[in-house]
């Protein structure tokens, strides 16, 4: 796999998944910190841990990994909508 991306499933915390979603949305670490009301340093640590767990080298590779494993939905790509119970 290109970019050293992990080929095995990875266990991520809810917070890590939340941060991946915000990275995929294009937010900087400072913007993520503000949105989640945590320090930038905490976001830096989360990103570092996520990159290690996913065996990715940078934010672009991380987003590619997240799309591959269905961890994020971008512009209706990779989205799984639940059936409407009213139909």
């Amino acid at each position: 796999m290109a970019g050293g991306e992990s080929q095995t499933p990875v266990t991520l915390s809810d917070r890590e998944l939340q941060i991946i979603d915000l990275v995929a949305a294009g937010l900087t670490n400072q913007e993520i910190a503000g949105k989640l009301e945590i320090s930038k340093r905490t976001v830096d640590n989360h990103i570092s841990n996520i990159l290690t767990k996913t065996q990715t080298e940078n934010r672009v590779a991380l987003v590619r990994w997240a799309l591959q494993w269905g961890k994020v939905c971008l512009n209706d790509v990779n989205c799984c909508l639940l059936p409407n119970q009213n139909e």
Side-chain angles (χ1 to χ4, degrees):
M1 176 146 323
E5 297 162 11
S6 174
Q7 294 186 27
T8 58
V10 173
T11 301
L12 297 168
S13 70
D14 288 342
R15 179 62 97 185
E16 289 170 331
L17 291 171
Q18 189 177 29
I19 288 175
I20 290 172
D21 191 50
L22 296 172
V23 168
L27 274 66
T28 65
N29 287 11
Q30 188 65 49
E31 292 167 332
I32 293 170
K35 187 167 187 76
L36 299 180
E37 298 180 349
I38 58 178
S39 75
K40 181 187 172 293
R41 180 72 180 135
T42 299
V43 174
D44 294 344
N45 287 335
H46 280 303
I47 298 276
S48 178
N49 292 338
I50 293 166
L51 293 176
T52 299
K53 286 182 177 182
T54 59
Q55 298 176 11
T56 53
E57 296 179 6
N58 55 53
R59 295 166 83 91
V60 173
L62 174 60
V63 172
R64 287 174 42 108
W65 176 91
L67 285 167
Q68 174 192 359
W69 288 99
K71 304 296 184 186
V72 295
C73 173
L74 294 175
N75 299 326
D76 295 329
V77 173
N78 225 32
C79 300
C80 179
L81 299 176
L82 298 175
N84 188 340
Q85 297 295 332
N86 296 329
E87 293 181 357

